[in-house]
């Protein structure tokens, strides 16, 4: 049902309606919003959606529903590279200063693993930087698993070996 709702909203070009629905009930509209991100190829709608989620994240970074920003970035079929960089910088700050959340780490791993994406390198750098900080073993393991999505990268392979 979420897929069909996302398709319907996409055909109607109703990104504002989707954002209104999401704001009312984030849990109910989460999957629809993420599916919309993947279906949408309009740069303006993608930017509007990501900016909206970004403002929610800035206002409430400790709320789990705000972390959808990073999943939406991962799912987006169309991205402005500057906006993607801003969101990745926010992910780095979040992991470093607030909490090394496993969902954010996983999203960064998926992004880093898609080496054809322009922002994959930055996601990889964020994960590698996290390995150099003093974090709990559980979080370090999450980062190592996320980095395993990056194939044939000597720097990543060495970081994984060094941290095993």
């Amino acid at each position: 049902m979420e897929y069909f709702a996302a398709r319907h909203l996409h055909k109607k070009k109703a990104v504002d309606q989707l954002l209104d629905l999401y704001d009312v009930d984030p849990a109910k509209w989460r999957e629809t919003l993420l599916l919309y991100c993947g279906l949408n190829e309009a740069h303006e709608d993608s930017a509007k959606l990501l900016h909206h989620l970004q403002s929610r994240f800035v206002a409430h970074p400790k709320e789990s529903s705000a972390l959808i920003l990073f999943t939406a970035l991962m799912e987006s079929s169309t991205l402005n590279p500057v906006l993607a960089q801003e969101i990745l910088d926010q992910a780095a700050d979040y992991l470093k200063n607030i909490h090394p959340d496993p969902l954010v780490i996983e999203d960064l791993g998926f992004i880093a693993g898609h080496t054809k994406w322009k922002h994959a390198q930055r996601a990889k750098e964020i994960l590698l930087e996290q390995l150099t900080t003093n974090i709990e073993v559980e979080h370090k393991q999450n980062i190592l698993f996320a980095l395993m999505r990056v194939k044939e990268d000597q720097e990543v392979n060495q970081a994984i070996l060094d941290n095993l």
Side-chain angles (χ1 to χ4, degrees), residues 17-84:
Q17 182 181 1
L18 174 59
L19 292 172
D20 289 342
L21 291 166
Y22 180 76
D23 285 341
V24 170
D25 192 348
K28 181 177 181 179
W29 291 95
R30 182 182 195 283
E31 292 306 315
T32 303
L33 185 139
L34 293 173
L35 289 164
Y36 186 96
C37 289
L39 292 170
N40 176 52
E41 294 179 353
H43 288 283
E44 304 82 31
D45 288 350
S46 179
K48 180 182 277 192
L49 195 144
L50 288 170
H51 278 299
H52 183 85
L53 296 176
Q54 192 177 34
S55 67
R56 285 178 62 98
F57 175 76
V58 169
H60 307 285
K62 294 184 180 180
E63 288 183 11
S64 62
S65 65
L67 301 181
I68 192 174
L69 171 63
F70 308 113
T71 308
L73 175 67
M74 177 189 67
E75 295 289 343
S76 292
S77 62
T78 302
L79 283 173
N80 173 316
V82 173
L83 180 57

Side-chain angles (χ1 to χ4, degrees), residues 9 19 40 53 66 81 83 91 107 120 122 139 160:
L9 292 165
L19 292 172
N40 176 52
L53 296 176
L83 180 57
D107 290 339
R122 178 64 180 131
H139 299 305
I160 291 171

Side-chain angles (χ1 to χ4, degrees), residues 119-159:
H119 51 290
Q121 179 65 28
R122 178 64 180 131
K124 179 183 89 170
E125 291 168 0
I126 293 167
L127 293 172
L128 289 172
E129 287 170 15
Q130 283 295 300
L131 286 177
T132 65
T133 63
N134 186 19
I135 57 175
E136 295 176 24
V137 172
E138 174 188 350
H139 299 305
K140 193 169 275 204
Q141 289 173 337
N142 290 333
I143 293 168
L144 292 173
F145 284 128
L147 283 169
M148 290 175 75
R149 289 185 170 86
V150 181
K151 304 291 184 212
E152 301 178 21
D153 185 300
Q154 188 61 33
E155 181 182 18
V156 168
N157 292 341
Q158 190 60 51

